[in-house]
Amino acid sequence: MRYFSIIFVLCLTLSMVQAQQTSFVNPFIGTSDDHGQTDPSATIPFGMIKPGPETIPRGNGGYDYQSQQLKGFSQTRMSGVGCIGVGGNLLITPFVGTACKTLKMDKASETAIPGYYSVTLDNQLKVEITTGRTAAIYRFTYPATETAGIKINFKHSYGKHIAEEHSIIGDNAVKGFVRSACTCDLGSYKFYYYIEKDKSTYKPEDNDSELLWKFQTEPNEQIILKIGLSSVSAEEAEANFKKECSNQSFEQIRTNARIAWENLLGQIQVETSDEDLKTSFYTRLYHACQTPFTINDYSGSYKGSDGKVYSQQLPYYHGWSIWDTYRTKYPLLSIVCPTEYKHMISSLAELYKQGKPRSATKTEPFLTTRTEHSIITILDALQKGMFDGSLDELLPLMLKEAEDISNDSPDKALERGYDFWGVSELAGKMGNKELKKKFSLRSKEYRPIWLQKFKDIGPTSDIMHGDGLYEGTIWQYRWFVPHDFDWVIATLGSKKKVLSELDYFFENNLFNMGNQPDIHVPFLYYYLGAPWKTQKLVRQILLEPTTNYYGTHEKWEKPYIGKIFNTTPQGYLKEMDDDAGTMSSWFVLSSIGLFPVCPGIPYYWINAPVFDTVTLHPTSQQEFKIHVNRPDAECIYIQKAILNGKVLNRSWLSYDEIMQGGDLTLELGKLPNKHWGHNTDFIKSLFKK
């Protein structure tokens, strides 16, 4: 496809002038036990294929750093999502001796960098993997043996296996499809593959849903195996494989993958003497850019969620987890990679035309999870000038979705109110005053429930799943009214009263950074005219030990006291999934000092970065630089802000101000400046238009 060729050339050019950000990426961060559910698979940004190791036991992405036992290497996964994960298809197991033996890793040999994974097994067999967008290449280095081989398991899957078909082509290739259940066994996906190896061999053994290639090897003999994927057909999978792998060596493909990552990660450059902090930053930016997947074939074809075949030359994205990612990830991507982001939004709009449900359909073209709050995601893009589709066609489909949103628990009532507000704003953009008014009123339908359940805090307000809440407590969901926070302030009596209750919330460790419902709450102090409180709190969450009582589903008897974001395999709190890059994006945005005011409103709060300098490259022509004047480490409060040479007394920037480029200088001090950024009237007015 022409688009991808252009992007590749840009990658080559830009990588020559950018620092080696990939050297600060550690893909093992967050891969241990239930501390992030990330994985060390080889991948390129937003790539479809993600080949990586499958350990025993495994995490949601197929891998647990603590394990030394391997089942093999699968080709698909979606980082950090719920239940038992999604993917794990086409399990490839190289072997020496018997094909049934469990593999044991030499952990000291294990290597993972962006676009590459390698490990040596206890039988001296070395495995190396690298990847393109739709195709991957394996390089197996065998010892001298008469009993070498490769096994492929076509049924392997994290969720329920539904169906598979495969056809052997000669002695060295196989093609077919697999179909498996999506996350939490809701809906299913089906994709096609083509696999080829370069070693002449005996006729392969076909045993039900397993294929066995056996052969002899000389000392250090290398066997190359290549895989192509497609959402449309095995023929397209073969064409994709040939496009990416046929005329390039393993090392060339590996170099291309690293260049692609250098280009993307180089969109944000941070300066600090703390290399551990830099590793944390770039690894989390790396994790944020794993999904959604670009699933077009190189011919342009792809399947939609309705099972129909479509075609376009621009990238089509799939693989959503929007209940999480709309909060932080898409506001981040709109700055970091605006071209890709714009195509993601267009793909999301196309999903509506394919009959988008809230969870996966039974005819998904590839791995996916859930799509609640797509309305807000598209509104946010529209407000930023990053959606140029037809609202005339889209809004009726959004209205249907909004009417179907459940209202059977207090948290869903709040979330539905937010989506109704989004519909109202979109109707206003179309000039439909009647519809805007109707859904503006409906966006307030949550209020009686808020008064009943959330206004008066009592002894049952700290119970996980209390009153039927999905994941969280009354305390944590209480603040999820981003579109109507003025009403909450008025209802509780005054800003002073809300400040007091927010202080209580944080001082008594009722906040849960381990899950999404309240991750915006540290920034509510900005809305209340007390940004210095956020500046101190967010720095603590990013860098310092804190007291944490909550997992995803329960409150622990004994708290975890320590850092939330670490650069070890235990990279997050226990039970804190990265959720398709949501938590990584929170870290990235918070650490550079720009956090979305409210998705759907194109503004970002200005926080104190933890770096000395932050340089954003929103486009190839523009640069937005944040200079931090910090006399010493104890200076954490913004004293003064200067934007493009002029004093800035407000505590936010518009999306346009960032994307147009410029210079922001922040003077920091040891004591709060309670006058800077205390006026929030302009932001409040945005919600009243």
Side-chain angles (χ1 to χ4, degrees), residues 385-620:
M386 298 298 284
F387 175 66
D388 51 15
S390 170
L391 283 181
D392 289 333
E393 186 178 10
L394 201 58
L395 192 58
L397 303 173
M398 291 181 166
L399 288 174
K400 182 179 183 301
E401 178 185 44
E403 294 290 357
D404 291 340
I405 295 173
S406 173
N407 193 33
D408 58 3
S409 64
D411 55 316
K412 289 180 182 178
L414 304 188
E415 295 198 29
R416 187 174 74 156
Y418 189 20
D419 276 343
F420 284 171
W421 171 79
V423 171
S424 174
E425 293 297 299
L426 287 166
K429 288 290 184 181
M430 291 180 63
N432 191 331
K433 295 181 179 179
E434 182 179 347
L435 194 62
K436 175 178 173 61
K437 182 179 179 181
K438 174 184 176 181
F439 274 88
S440 178
L441 291 172
R442 296 208 65 187
S443 72
K444 301 173 178 61
E445 289 177 354
Y446 78 92
R447 288 178 174 180
I449 297 172
W450 196 93
L451 290 169
Q452 179 186 357
K453 298 291 185 180
F454 298 98
K455 182 177 184 292
D456 297 318
I457 293 296
T460 62
S461 300
D462 190 29
I463 298 175
M464 292 292 282
H465 301 289
D467 286 290
L469 300 177
Y470 173 53
E471 292 177 348
T473 67
I474 289 290
W475 259 115
Q476 291 156 12
Y477 271 104
R478 186 188 199 208
W479 313 104
F480 188 74
V481 193
H483 65 292
D484 200 24
F485 199 58
D486 251 6
W487 177 83
V488 172
I489 295 170
T491 302
L492 290 177
S494 65
K495 283 185 179 181
K496 184 177 180 181
K497 171 70 170 173
V498 179
L499 280 168
S500 173
E501 297 200 10
L502 264 184
D503 288 343
Y504 182 90
F505 178 69
F506 286 109
E507 289 167 2
N508 288 274
N509 306 307
L510 297 163
F511 171 64
N512 182 12
M513 189 62 224
N515 208 2
Q516 283 76 44
D518 61 347
I519 60 174
H520 66 294
V521 179
F523 289 88
L524 289 183
Y525 285 116
Y526 272 76
Y527 199 88
L528 296 165
W532 65 90
K533 289 180 177 282
T534 291
Q535 291 157 23
K536 179 180 180 181
L537 178 60
V538 168
R539 185 177 181 86
Q540 289 174 338
I541 295 170
L542 288 169
L543 302 179
E544 300 173 11
T546 57
T547 301
N548 303 272
Y549 274 96
Y550 301 92
T552 301
H553 297 289
E554 63 179 350
K555 183 175 182 180
W556 306 317
E557 288 187 14
K558 294 183 178 180
Y560 163 76
I561 301 175
K563 290 179 65 177
I564 294 172
F565 297 95
N566 295 289
T567 54
T568 65
Q570 291 186 327
Y572 297 84
L573 295 174
K574 185 175 176 59
E575 297 182 37
M576 180 177 170
D577 295 349
D578 192 39
D579 281 314
T582 301
M583 297 311 197
S584 286
S585 299
W586 190 97
F587 182 95
V588 171
L589 287 164
S590 300
S591 68
I592 65 173
L594 297 171
F595 196 86
V597 168
C598 166
I601 295 292
Y603 286 80
Y604 293 75
W605 296 122
I606 303 169
N607 194 38
V610 296
F611 302 104
D612 301 324
T613 305
V614 176
T615 306
L616 304 173
H617 300 276
T619 69
S620 58

